[in-house]
């Protein structure tokens, strides 16, 4: 069983609201050193102030390589890393969603992988949307190199409309799940784990906005076995488990926490 790397720094990127805030609240109780980061400096300062204790904050733009390197430099030895930052389909054009939801995360993993050691764990938030995007061999081959300069052009060449926000979101989240699978061996060689979590429709400001602006979301919720939105703390509880030594054999995979919506939809 992997050791609990309690002496390392725990990092939550996207901690200023929603899922990131819920995760930060759970980690604050047992972190030796907790570093909270978000693109919204005021928001993450608020969360840190409410939690108290040994918490540091840093403004970080997930799409800025210099910001990501500064976050890595501030971390030192990595304990636990959680990425919740991202954009949903109603928040931005397709290409911007792709930049935030997979290019940024790929750079984050690249920056933090050298910091991982025995017992380090990374959990990246994907989405049930990634499970609903059909497997396409050529597209998956392209998605497996999200930092390639030609990645968006290559996806267009494969017949995808990367300017359509819903399409960009779905393929980004599929790419994120595949990123975790591909990097797991390298993390494992260092005694570390990397996992993704795919929430369903979450009762957060972002989730409620999607629910209100996309009528299909109401149908997904109503048709799911649970018949309700997922509470942010329910997702945070799963993340907390995956970060713990109790999940020491879980790596290189995605954990779907959607109230059964995908099972109901896909049959």
């Amino acid at each position: 069983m992997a050791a609990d790397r309690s002496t390392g720094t725990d990092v939550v990127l996207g901690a200023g609201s929603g899922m990131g805030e819920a995760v930060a609240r759970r980690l604050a109780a047992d972190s030796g050193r907790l570093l909270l980061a978000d693109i919204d400096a005021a928001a993450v300062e608020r969360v840190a102030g409410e939690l108290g204790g040994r918490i540091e904050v840093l403004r970080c733009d997930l799409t800025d390589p210099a910001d990501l390197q500064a976050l890595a430099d501030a971390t030192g030895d990595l304990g636990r890393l959680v990425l919740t930052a991202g954009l949903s389909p109603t928040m931005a054009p397709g290409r911007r969603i792709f930049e935030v939801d997979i290019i940024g995360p790929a750079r984050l993993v690249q920056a933090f992988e050298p910091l991982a050691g025995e017992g380090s764990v990374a959990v990246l938030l994907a989405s049930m949307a990634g499970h609903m995007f059909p497997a396409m061999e050529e597209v998956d081959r392209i998605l497996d190199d999200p930092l390639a300069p030609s990645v968006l052009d290559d996806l267009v060449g494969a017949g995808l409309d990367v300017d359509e926000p819903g399409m960009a979101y779905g393929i980004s989240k599929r790419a994120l799940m595949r990123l975790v699978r591909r990097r797991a061996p390298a993390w494992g060689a260092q005694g570390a784990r990397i996992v993704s979590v795919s929430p369903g429709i979450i009762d957060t400001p972002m989730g409620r906005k999607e629910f209100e602006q996309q009528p299909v979301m109401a149908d997904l919720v109503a048709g799911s076995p649970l018949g309700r939105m997922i509470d942010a703390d329910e997702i945070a509880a799963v993340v907390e488990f995956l970060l713990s030594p109790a999940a020491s054999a879980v790596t290189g995979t995605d954990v779907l926490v959607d109230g059964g919506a995908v099972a109901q939809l896909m049959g």
Side-chain angles (χ1 to χ4, degrees):
M1 179 179 292
D4 179 6
R5 202 174 194 204
S6 57
T7 58
T9 301
D10 295 336
V11 181
V12 182
L13 178 50
S17 64
M19 272 308 313
E21 180 175 353
V23 169
R25 291 186 181 280
R26 281 188 168 261
L27 297 191
D30 67 350
S31 285
R33 179 183 179 228
L34 179 58
L35 178 55
L36 303 182
D38 198 281
I39 193 171
D40 186 336
V44 76
E45 287 278 4
R46 174 191 61 79
V47 173
E50 292 177 1
L51 293 177
R54 190 183 173 192
I55 298 175
E56 301 167 39
V57 300
L58 188 68
R59 183 192 180 278
C60 181
D61 181 345
L62 181 59
T63 66
D64 186 336
D67 276 12
L68 292 177
Q69 189 56 56
L71 183 62
D73 291 344
T75 299
D77 292 337
L78 177 63
R80 302 173 290 185
L81 169 67
V82 181
L83 172 65
T84 67
L87 293 176
S88 56
T90 63
M91 297 177 70
R95 290 174 186 261
R96 176 61 177 170
I97 289 173
F98 196 86
E99 181 183 12
V100 173
D101 287 1
I102 183 55
I103 295 177
R107 287 178 176 150
L108 177 75
V109 171
Q110 187 178 68
F112 273 80
E113 195 169 285
L115 308 181
E118 190 70 32
S120 298
V121 191
V123 175
L124 314 181
L125 257 67
S127 168
M128 70 176 185
H131 288 268
M132 294 189 277
F133 189 86
M136 301 169 63
E137 184 175 349
E138 182 182 3
V139 170
D140 284 342
R141 177 185 58 78
I142 296 167
L143 292 178
D144 282 348
D145 189 8
L147 298 183
S150 63
V151 62
L152 290 175
D153 291 337
D154 292 341
L155 288 170
V156 171
L160 298 187
D161 183 0
V162 297
D163 293 306
E164 200 283 308
M167 173 68 74
Y169 184 75
I171 61 176
S172 295
K173 296 306 185 178
R174 180 173 176 82
L176 186 61
M177 291 187 286
R178 293 181 66 85
L179 172 68
V180 162
R181 294 178 204 166
R182 293 197 326 278
R183 298 316 307 165
W187 283 65
Q190 297 168 209
R193 299 185 291 113
I194 183 168
V195 188
S196 61
V197 170
S198 286
I201 302 170
I202 317 173
D203 190 9
T204 61
M206 181 187 295
R208 288 191 293 272
K209 182 178 179 183
E210 295 300 314
F211 186 85
E212 292 165 1
Q213 297 191 23
Q214 298 193 62
V216 68
M217 294 295 184
D219 295 335
L220 282 173
V221 170
S224 70
L226 290 189
R228 62 172 175 82
M229 297 177 77
I230 311 300
D231 187 78
D233 194 58
E234 292 178 299
I235 306 296
V238 175
V239 171
E240 184 179 36
F241 164 72
L242 292 170
L243 293 170
S244 76
S248 58
V250 183
T251 192
T253 191
D254 181 77
V255 178
L256 181 61
V257 190
D258 69 336
V262 169
Q264 185 74 13
L265 185 65
M266 307 299 283

